[in-house]
Amino acid sequence: MTPSAPARADAPLPGTPFVAYRAGQLMLEDVALAELAQRHGTPLFVYSRAAMLGALAAYQRGLAGREALICYAMKANSTLAVLKVFADAGCGFDIVSGGELERVLAAGGVAGKIVFSGIGKTRAEIRRALEAGIRCFNVESLAELDVIDEVARACGRRAPISIRVNPNVDARTHPYISTGLKGNKFGIAHEQALAAYQHAARLTGLQVVGIDCHIGSQITEVAPYVEALDRVLDLVGAIEAAGIRIRHIDLGGGLGIDYAGDTPPAADALWAALLARLDARGYGDRALMIEPGRSLVGNAGLCLTEVLYLKPGEQKNFCIVDAAMNDLPRPALYEAFHRIVPLRQPAPGASATTYDVVGPVCESGDWLGRDRPLAVQPGEHLAVLSAGAYCMSMASNYNTRPRAAEVLVDGGEARVVRQREAVQDLWRGETA
Ligand SMILES: *Cc1c(COP(=O)(O)O)cnc(C)c1O
């Protein structure tokens, strides 16, 4: 089990470079988290701008000197202030719905840097994306090619497209977040990809610009990426031999983060390996696109929660907190592990009790951490770490629980970037 406190005072907590205890207080950058919890209440998501930009910088270093566009996969965390950090840093965005398109445009994202993924794009979404002038549709089926062609011709445009190919590579991750195997619903099978490109090239509403794949999420090894790249390059060779030029190669996202002692490669190390392969195979001149989500925001965020009750039991002790599966759905959804630490550093030698940390929602699946040694009392606060990705963006109102507030930290400054939802907001539009 991962220890709940760092080995020495002031050392950053594992995986989260800007989280550390200072004088016994948990800090994010130069902000004391206990003060934020007092001022804004809990549950409260808090994000570090420096951590996001630091994660982005690793990709930028890895891709330096190449024609490359980093498209942040915004479904990981689509809060406007988070999008703005990446838009200001020059990023593009990977979107998966018309809602995400409007959201990222509202945050100042540039349409010409947006790629649109997803297997179920509606005609209305396609039309709106064409009118906005997005960079590329990442197409996931033959039927979708025909629909995009039809919509584009109807509005007098040519839609830039890339086909998402399924390289049939095992990303060796959780089955719910593995997407590059034959049994997955995503992409067009490797074997059918050439025919799909030939079909696309004949459609006058389309312009073939690239090829893409995305093999899964929370990937912690380099090898599956190299395998996927090899498979994609095999196809680029075949497609270009058929006279269809592939201008960009998009290798998707999926790089993992350290949740529980995981050791994914650094983004720059991963890209050193991929660029070496690309060059060796003679495709070093192609424009590159990538779609990282989790690895840009996951370890930049945490969720503060108050201990409500301690409930000792014969088989289990429960630490009941005010955050729940509606705020932090990953444990319930994937049995995911998040480190959980107290905001006040326990005294050396303080005796810890082992708890299951659970929320108030009426589901046995509503747990945030199992068998955690903690020395806490009701009224004290905990931080659930690595909560920047696939937490707030997946939050729901189950049990009529308003969604949490969010704060963005930059150095010693902390700014509320999303107000806590009011309970009256929850039945807006309803009729009794
Ligand atoms: C979700 C998704 C991503 C981002 O995945 P991460 O694991 O968060 O990096 C990238 N591309 C596509 C098509 C996706 O669906």
Side-chain angles (χ1 to χ4, degrees):
M1 191 51 54
T2 313
S4 59
R8 73 192 155 79
D10 286 12
L13 269 55
T16 53
F18 293 90
V19 183
Y21 287 104
R22 219 178 286 158
Q25 286 257 15
L26 195 67
M27 312 286 292
L28 182 63
E29 299 191 35
D30 297 324
V31 172
L33 291 166
E35 276 175 34
L36 293 183
Q38 286 301 337
R39 185 168 322 141
H40 305 295
T42 51
L44 182 73
F45 283 93
V46 190
Y47 307 113
S48 156
R49 183 168 178 276
M52 290 188 254
L53 292 177
L56 176 63
Y59 282 100
Q60 289 167 327
R61 279 195 303 275
L63 292 163
R66 306 280 169 151
E67 184 187 344
L69 181 62
I70 299 168
C71 293
Y72 166 54
M74 65 178 280
K75 72 177 189 288
N77 186 323
S78 54
T79 297
L80 293 185
V82 170
L83 299 178
K84 178 139 192 326
V85 168
F86 291 113
D88 287 350
C91 287
F93 295 89
D94 174 52
I95 64 169
V96 291
S97 73
E100 286 195 344
L101 175 60
E102 302 307 336
R103 193 175 252 287
V104 71
L105 293 176
V110 177
K113 294 182 180 177
I114 292 173
V115 299
F116 192 171
S117 302
I119 60 171
K121 305 176 190 78
T122 66
R123 282 181 159 75
E125 288 175 321
I126 293 165
R127 192 174 314 114
R128 174 72 183 112
L130 275 169
E131 286 164 2
I134 67 162
R135 172 74 148 257
C136 187
F137 291 87
N138 289 353
V139 179
E140 306 225 15
S141 64
L142 284 171
E144 187 191 332
L145 278 178
D146 292 331
V147 170
I148 296 177
D149 171 60
E150 191 186 305
V151 175
R153 282 188 290 107
C155 55
R157 291 170 197 264
R158 281 188 92 183
I161 66 114
S162 157
I163 291 179
R164 175 170 176 181
V165 298
N166 184 334
N168 196 25
V169 162
D170 187 356
R172 296 190 275 281
T173 181
H174 190 286
Y176 282 12
I177 52 177
S178 182
T179 56
L181 277 168
K182 273 193 176 173
N184 293 127
K185 66 179 182 178
F186 300 101
I188 289 181
H190 188 90
E191 296 72 18
Q192 288 153 21
L194 175 58
Y197 270 97
Q198 288 173 316
H199 179 63
R202 285 193 293 268
L203 298 174
T204 56
L206 303 185
Q207 178 169 26
V208 172
V209 294
I211 190 166
D212 67 284
C213 75
H214 171 72
I215 57 173
S217 200
Q218 187 52 20
I219 300 168
T220 55
E221 297 169 51
V222 174
Y225 280 102
V226 177
E227 258 178 78
L229 175 62
D230 267 333
R231 302 276 289 162
V232 167
L233 293 180
D234 293 345
L235 280 176
V236 173
I239 295 161
E240 296 201 327
I244 302 163
R245 170 81 178 158
I246 300 294
R247 291 217 303 262
H248 79 246
I249 297 171
D250 175 348
L251 280 185
L255 184 58
I257 61 170
D258 176 5
Y259 283 108
D262 311 277
T263 52
D268 44 358
L270 170 65
W271 276 94
L274 292 174
L275 292 176
R277 188 61 146 230
L278 206 61
D279 291 343
R281 292 197 52 179
Y283 292 103
D285 60 335
R286 300 312 153 97
L288 296 170
M289 304 241 243
I290 54 168
E291 305 164 354
R294 184 190 314 273
S295 53
L296 291 180
V297 292
N299 272 337
L302 42 77
C303 182
L304 307 183
T305 184
E306 181 180 330
V307 177
L308 299 176
Y309 299 100
L310 298 177
K311 184 173 174 180
E314 247 171 59
Q315 298 188 355
K316 285 266 182 190
N317 302 310
F318 293 101
C319 172
I320 303 169
V321 299
D322 68 355
M325 65 186 285
N326 71 298
D327 307 294
L328 294 155
R330 298 187 65 258
L333 206 51
Y334 317 111
E335 304 207 320
F337 181 95
H338 287 266
R339 293 182 173 104
I340 301 175
V341 299
L343 295 197
R344 202 164 43 80
Q345 191 169 27
S351 75
T353 306
T354 300
Y355 293 102
D356 275 12
V357 179
V358 300
V361 163
C362 299
E363 297 278 345
S364 294
D366 179 30
W367 57 276
L368 304 181
R370 288 191 167 135
D371 299 322
R372 304 304 178 86
L374 290 168
V376 281
Q377 292 303 319
E380 294 183 341
H381 290 98
L382 300 173
V384 179
L385 302 186
S386 308
Y390 302 107
C391 290
M392 189 54 164
S393 62
M394 283 185 154
S396 78
N397 294 121
Y398 189 40
N399 281 206
T400 303
R401 288 169 53 87
R403 281 178 302 166
E406 294 179 294
V407 167
L408 181 65
V409 163
D410 182 7
E413 310 264 287
R415 183 164 67 87
V416 175
V417 293
R418 184 201 295 257
Q419 292 177 2
R420 188 173 303 286
E421 221 165 15
V423 75
Q424 292 83 357
D425 294 340
L426 302 190
W427 53 82
R428 194 155 58 88
E430 288 183 44
T431 316

